[in-house]
Structures are given as structure tokens and as C-alpha cells.
Amino acid sequence: MSGARLPGAPTREDRIVLHVDMDCFYAACERRRDPDLEGEPVVVGMGYESGESHGAVATASYEAREYGVESAQAISQALDLLPRTRDDDGPVGHYRQVDMAHYETVSQEVKAVLCEVADTVRAVSIDEAYLDVTDRLGWTGAAVFARNLKAQIREEAGVPASIGVAPNMSTAKVASDYDKPDGVVVVPPDDVRSFLAPLSLEELHGIGPVTARALRSMGIETIGDLASADRGRLVDQFGERGREIHDHARGHDDREVEPVGQPKSLSNESAFTEPTDDADRIADRLVTLAEEVTTRASTREILYKTIGIKVVTPPFDVHTRARSLSGPVDDAALVETIALDLIEEFEEQAIRKLGVRVSNLAFVEEDQSSLDEWNRNCSNDQQTNEPEANARSDVASNDERERQTSVFEFT
Ligand code: DCP
Ligand code: MG
């Protein structure tokens, strides 16, 4: 916690923290499955069908935001600003109902990409996560890394993101918001204070309208003003939170990027560079994925009761199938058999991506420390998988660039 930092103690400015926040996330998920919505004003919410009158906007695409539509607005107001139909040639909005199951699926795919590229990933909501990549690169490579990650998320999960890079979580979050949508903003340690100083108070996470009003009444207008404000006065007014916002305004935030929770499932996914309907190739890939998942489960003494597959067909249609057993098992051969059985339904269909998942987990040895260690290191699992991934690329055709992903779900 920033409050625990001793006066004068060095901040950990050697860290490289990314904050990834998806752009107009629910609207982007709707576009992923309906590409005709690309470039159109899209509003996702509830209560806009005829006969309904109550409901709110969950999010709006940036095109819809130009007409004043925004999150949490009453749907009736959104419909006034951007009607669904009209007689003249004025703008019309494309409205979609909230579909959480779909957004959760896309979110898992985004997080799979993040686990692929970072040593430490902490998902904090359905559409945002912090990554600590200190051990992977230096500041000179940070911008290229973030741009590549943004492109990889777009390619593998089919949705746009904005990314902020900074030496701490709080500044990285401000940075990801700075150039939305589709932005990458890198703030190296020496630039943190000058980057934050001119910004308005509400840009800092944790300062809402009420706190901002109270700060303004104290003559504090910008983050720079807050950084140079008297600390004692802020603590008198806001208690512990005053200390925290003062630290964050000065670019100090010692919170570690730490994953939380136990996995709900274990899965491995793998994308074909080009969709394929080659049954042998699909079966081979599925068997490899099943082996990888069961090896991870048995190494960690984890039993599973449900065995499932995920099949992504073009453009990004996600199909999941699963079968539950009467009790938890650790049985690699059974996972393979069930996975091959479940894939039969997709015979002759072109497949873009495959996954095997075991869920309904039971932990033989409730060893929290080893689970924590495991959660902390998505990438170590990645390394464990590398020999198999390499072996597979030997048999893949030369022009194919295949990707392997370990997926974690957190409770
Ligand atoms: N959300 C919601 N109701 C709100 C705010 C958000 O249902 N009042 C949902 C819809 C958003 C998602 O959470 O798509 C993520 O929230 P964000 O604040 O990150 O907003 P967006 O991703 O939509 O837009 P941005 O591009 O500004 O991040
Ligand atoms: Mg977002």
C-alpha cells in the first residue's frame, strides 16, 4: 500500500506496468459478432424495445458518443439523442441488448493473450487488467511492446484496446485513458510528474465528482496542484485516502501487480493462422491441447469433473461443449476421448481456434502457497508448454505462425 511507504523511502521506479483497458468494450463485442456494426453508432443497454421505458446505457461506441450518448445514461435520453429510426436522414443508432455471457467469453480470450505476453497479470474488471512486464523489457522497448500487444489482442480476440505504460499502476491507468480509443501512451519514470501535472483531478482513479469539488474548494484544480498541496491538509480533509491521492498525484504507487483468486478452470487454447477443416489436423491439435491441460492438472494434483472444448469458427463465433462426470477424476485418456467425441459435431466446419478445458475443479492438496505461485506466473506455464509447442510447429506448414495460450479464470 502506498500509505505504508516510509517518508523518503525509494519508490520502485524500476518497474514497467501496463494498464490495458478495452475500448467501448460491450459495443466492441457486439461488433465482433456483427461486423456490419463497424464504424456505426452502437448503443448497448436495456429497456429500448417498444413497451419498455426504463433502463440505462451500458456503453456506447465512440461514434454514438459524438451524439452525447454515454454509459449510465437513461435509455430514454439516449433514444432522444440517437433514435433507432427516424423519418428524415438524420443519424440513427444501432441498439443491442446486454449479453454478459458473450462479453465474458471475449474477456477470457483477451486475458489469455495477456497471460501469453506477461509474467504477471491482474484482471480488475471484465475489460481491464494490469500487467507487470519488468522482467521482459526495458523502457526503450516499451512502446513497441505495447503496440504489438494491442495488435495481438485485436487479432486473437477481435476487439480494440488502449494501453498505458508507466512505472506504477496508478499512472498506467491514467495513461491508458489519455488517448482512447486505440491509444498507446508510454510514460517513462522521468516523465511521470510532468505527464500528470496538467491533467484534471477526475483523471486520477479514486477522485470522483464529490472529491473533486471538495479539492477545488481548497484551491486545487489540477493533478499538479494536488501533487504540491500540503499533505497534512489533505489527510485532515480526507483521512487515509488523502494520503493515497497525494501519492498518486506525485506518481508514487507502490502497489504490486498481484493476481488474486484460485482458478475456476484450466484450459489451453491454440489458434490456426488460417481456419482449417482438416479433420486430422484438428484432432491432432485437440489431443495435444488435452495432453497439456491434463499434465498441468495432474502436476498440481487437481481433479476435474467437467471436460469441455471450445471451438471458434469464422469470423469469431465461439461454441463451447462440455460433459460432466459423476465425480472428480484425473484421467488424461478420458479427457482425450471426450474432447474427440465433442468435436465430432463440428465435422467439415472451418475452425479458427480450438480449446480444451477442465472445470469443476477439486484440489487434492489445498496448498495455497503453490496455487498463489501458480497464479502469479501465467508465463511459467507458458514455458512449460514450450517444448510441445515447438514440436508442433515442426509439423506445421512453414507459412503458419501458430499460437499457444494458457488460460486462467479467477474466482
Ligand atoms: N459498464 C456498464 N455500466 C456503466 C459503465 C460500464 O455496464 N455505467 C460496462 C460496459 C462497458 C464495460 O463495463 O463496455 C467497461 O467499462 P469501461 O468504463 O471501460 O467503458 P468502455 O470499455 O465501454 O469504454 P472505454 O473505451 O471508455 O473504456
Ligand atoms: Mg473500457
Side-chain angles (χ1 to χ4, degrees):
M1 289 294 292
S2 52
R5 196 166 52 84
L6 295 172
T11 55
R12 299 193 55 232
E13 290 188 345
D14 49 335
R15 288 185 303 155
I16 302 181
V17 176
L18 271 67
H19 182 253
V20 178
D21 190 302
M22 311 310 297
D23 299 326
C24 57
F25 184 55
Y26 294 1
C29 294
E30 295 297 339
R31 281 179 168 156
R32 188 180 99 152
R33 61 181 169 187
D34 183 0
D36 287 349
L37 295 176
E38 208 56 58
E40 297 289 328
V42 178
V43 181
V44 180
M46 303 287 228
Y48 58 80
E49 295 293 355
S50 62
E52 298 175 320
S53 54
H54 294 299
V57 174
T59 197
S61 71
Y62 282 78
E63 293 81 357
R65 291 179 198 192
E66 284 179 18
Y67 299 99
V69 181
E70 58 186 23
S71 291
Q73 192 169 55
I75 203 84
S76 53
Q77 193 182 348
L79 287 163
D80 284 345
L81 294 163
L82 191 60
R84 297 174 74 194
T85 54
R86 55 196 295 165
D87 297 332
D88 56 23
D89 320 332
V92 290
H94 301 264
Y95 283 69
R96 294 289 182 275
Q97 293 279 354
V98 171
D99 177 359
M100 287 313 295
H102 177 52
Y103 311 147
E104 290 287 355
T105 303
V106 180
S107 176
Q108 285 302 324
E109 292 186 21
V110 172
K111 279 162 202 163
V113 176
L114 304 184
C115 275
E116 207 175 330
V117 303
D119 303 316
T120 313
V121 177
R122 179 178 187 137
V124 288
S125 78
I126 193 166
D127 93 322
E128 60 178 318
Y130 291 94
L131 281 56
D132 189 323
V133 294
T134 310
D135 295 334
R136 295 237 172 171
L137 71 155
W139 281 103
T140 47
V144 172
F145 180 89
R147 275 197 291 272
N148 287 343
L149 173 57
K150 188 157 67 73
Q152 194 175 337
I153 295 169
R154 171 73 100 162
E155 189 185 316
E156 293 192 27
V159 281
S162 291
I163 300 179
V165 192
N168 61 69
M169 292 171 73
S170 154
T171 311
K173 183 161 171 78
V174 177
S176 75
D177 209 31
Y178 187 78
D179 193 25
K180 260 184 173 293
D182 203 29
V184 167
V185 174
V186 179
V187 189
D190 288 346
D191 297 348
V192 169
R193 286 291 287 264
S194 57
F195 166 71
L196 293 172
L199 302 180
S200 74
L201 296 166
E202 288 89 345
E203 300 293 320
L204 211 57
H205 185 56
I207 300 189
V210 175
T211 308
R213 207 173 312 124
L215 287 167
R216 288 198 176 101
S217 73
M218 296 164 75
I220 297 169
E221 299 283 342
T222 64
I223 298 182
D225 295 342
L226 181 57
S228 49
D230 181 72
R231 193 173 179 82
R233 214 171 143 221
L234 293 170
V235 176
D236 285 348
Q237 178 79 24
F238 302 104
E240 185 55 34
R241 214 159 58 83
R243 216 183 300 275
E244 190 174 285
I245 59 176
H246 190 224
D247 278 339
H248 291 181
R250 294 186 306 147
H252 293 163
D253 179 4
D254 282 351
R255 288 173 300 161
E256 298 281 344
V257 179
E258 278 190 83
V260 285
Q262 276 196 349
K264 286 197 294 193
S265 68
L266 292 179
S267 61
N268 274 54
E269 298 184 1
S270 176
F272 297 102
T273 305
E274 295 292 330
T276 180
D277 60 2
D278 181 332
D280 289 340
R281 246 180 108 209
I282 290 167
D284 282 352
R285 182 65 58 88
L286 206 60
V287 167
T288 306
L289 291 168
E291 276 169 10
E292 287 164 353
V293 170
T294 52
T295 303
R296 284 164 65 206
S298 86
T299 309
R300 274 114 183 169
E301 298 191 293
I302 292 175
L303 307 176
Y304 36 84
K305 204 175 141 183
T306 301
I307 296 159
I309 61 167
K310 175 162 127 181
V311 178
V312 182
T313 55
F316 276 103
D317 294 330
V318 180
H319 315 269
T320 52
R321 300 288 181 271
R323 195 168 295 164
S324 285
L325 310 166
S326 52
V329 299
D330 170 10
D331 187 337
L334 187 62
V335 174
E336 186 180 316
T337 306
I338 290 179
L340 289 171
D341 209 22
L342 293 171
I343 197 75
E344 276 183 18
E345 181 189 335
F346 299 90
E347 211 179 347
E348 292 178 10
Q349 287 192 42
I351 293 176
R352 178 185 187 119
K353 192 173 187 182
L354 276 174
V356 172
R357 163 174 301 179
V358 294
S359 53
N360 263 323
L361 305 182
F363 301 89
V364 174
E365 196 180 298
E366 285 288 352
D367 180 354
Q368 190 57 47
S369 63
S370 69
L371 280 171
D372 284 347
E373 183 58 27
W374 168 30
N375 281 338
R376 194 163 289 130
N377 285 294
C378 301
S379 61
N380 284 355
D381 273 81
Q382 204 54 39
Q383 283 157 16
T384 317
N385 289 328
E386 257 173 23
E388 284 134 338
N390 290 343
R392 200 173 51 248
S393 65
D394 288 338
V395 294
S397 59
N398 286 340
D399 59 345
E400 279 188 334
R401 192 168 39 89
E402 318 258 314
R403 285 214 176 93
Q404 172 68 24
T405 311
S406 299
V407 185
F408 295 82
E409 288 179 9
F410 301 107
T411 49

